[in-house]
Amino acid sequence: MKRVAILISGGGSNMVALLDSMTGDHPARPVLVLSNNVDAGGLEKARARGVKTAVVDHRPFKGDRSAFEQGLNKTLQAAKPDIICLAGFMRILTADFIDAWAGQMINIHPSLLPKFKGLNTHARALEAGVTEHGCSVHEVTATLDDGPILGQARLLIDPADTADSLADRVLRLEHQLYPAVMRRFAAGDKTEVCLP
Ligand code: GRF
């Protein structure tokens, strides 16, 4: 049974989708939900599901990323995860941290990578006038939003879409894509998930 740690910074809707998927014959179970933000709404949702939570607040480290990451690692190593899922985790991780978890860490990004890496993806997709948009799950590597793609979910942008309506529609796709990819990844299968 693979051990999964989930890193969050906010509401954790992707985390909830992942937690709720790990039942029955699923080859993984959650061992920790870890946040950099003591006020992250997702922490309460994890506790309500009986999942161990922890907080490593990044603010006391005042931009000393490696010191913050030492705190993350101390907490993570105690949980002994086989897989780390970044799910709305909003801190940039250093190459050292990423290398230490190479091949075990995945992330969901709200665009069809390699398009629109970084932030504000929905507004940028509208601005660019693309007709297709969606989300991607990828292995985390030292280059931001750049690792091997493990799955994508697509939708057609509606002319009436705003950045907010697009964010809502993509988030719903994320909740389908991330559990599907993580289940395969936990079974050692890297065949790309394509939705629909
Ligand atoms: C989502 O848009 C996700 O793509 C990004 O963070 C946002 C919030 O995710 N990674 P969640 O609701 O906290 O899971």
Side-chain angles (χ1 to χ4, degrees), residues 10-15 87-90 107-110 122 171 174-175:
S13 69
N14 277 289
M15 172 212 60
F89 186 69
M90 302 310 274
N107 178 49
I108 189 152
H109 179 76
H122 310 302
L171 193 58
E174 293 176 33
H175 299 161

Side-chain angles (χ1 to χ4, degrees), residues 1-5 19 21-32 51 82-83 182 186:
M1 190 65 84
K2 290 287 191 298
R3 299 166 60 87
V4 174
L19 293 184
S21 73
M22 287 186 265
T23 58
D25 63 355
H26 192 297
R29 287 296 183 276
V31 293
L32 179 67
V51 180
D82 302 296
I83 297 170
M182 194 269 281

Side-chain angles (χ1 to χ4, degrees), residues 29 36 40 62 74 88 98 105 111 130 140 154 165 186:
R29 287 296 183 276
N36 63 296
K62 294 185 178 33
K74 201 155 100 312
I98 291 165
M105 191 152 61
S111 78
V130 295
V140 177
R154 296 165 186 282
S165 66

Side-chain angles (χ1 to χ4, degrees), residues 19-169:
L19 293 184
D20 292 348
S21 73
M22 287 186 265
T23 58
D25 63 355
H26 192 297
R29 287 296 183 276
V31 293
L32 179 67
V33 168
L34 174 55
S35 181
N36 63 296
N37 172 11
V38 69
D39 300 320
L43 291 168
E44 181 42 47
K45 295 171 192 167
R47 284 193 283 269
R49 286 165 174 77
V51 180
K52 185 171 170 3
T53 62
V55 174
V56 178
D57 188 339
H58 64 278
R59 291 170 303 183
F61 297 100
K62 294 185 178 33
D64 181 347
R65 287 188 191 284
S66 61
F68 165 60
E69 289 171 354
Q70 276 165 32
L72 286 182
N73 270 324
K74 201 155 100 312
T75 309
L76 280 168
Q77 274 145 12
K80 298 192 291 297
D82 302 296
I83 297 170
I84 296 176
C85 295
L86 304 181
F89 186 69
M90 302 310 274
R91 303 302 297 170
I92 303 278
L93 295 165
T94 66
D96 288 349
F97 182 91
I98 291 165
D99 291 348
W101 296 100
Q104 296 176 266
M105 191 152 61
I106 61 179
N107 178 49
I108 189 152
H109 179 76
S111 78
L112 293 177
L113 291 172
K115 289 199 189 92
F116 309 121
K117 298 176 183 179
L119 298 173
N120 303 320
T121 58
H122 310 302
R124 289 161 58 203
L126 288 170
E127 187 64 34
V130 295
T131 50
E132 241 193 2
H133 188 43
C135 50
S136 308
V137 176
H138 63 94
E139 291 190 61
V140 177
T141 57
T143 309
L144 186 69
D145 299 332
D146 191 70
I149 301 280
L150 294 170
Q152 294 196 309
R154 296 165 186 282
L155 55 69
L156 288 177
I157 292 186
D158 183 297
D161 267 319
T162 63
D164 286 348
S165 66
L166 213 39
D168 288 347
R169 292 175 63 208

Side-chain angles (χ1 to χ4, degrees), residues 173-193:
L173 287 184
E174 293 176 33
H175 299 161
Q176 296 166 45
L177 180 68
Y178 213 171
V181 170
M182 194 269 281
R183 181 173 183 135
R184 274 197 193 169
F185 191 72
D189 176 358
K190 291 194 181 182
T191 316
E192 189 170 346
V193 174

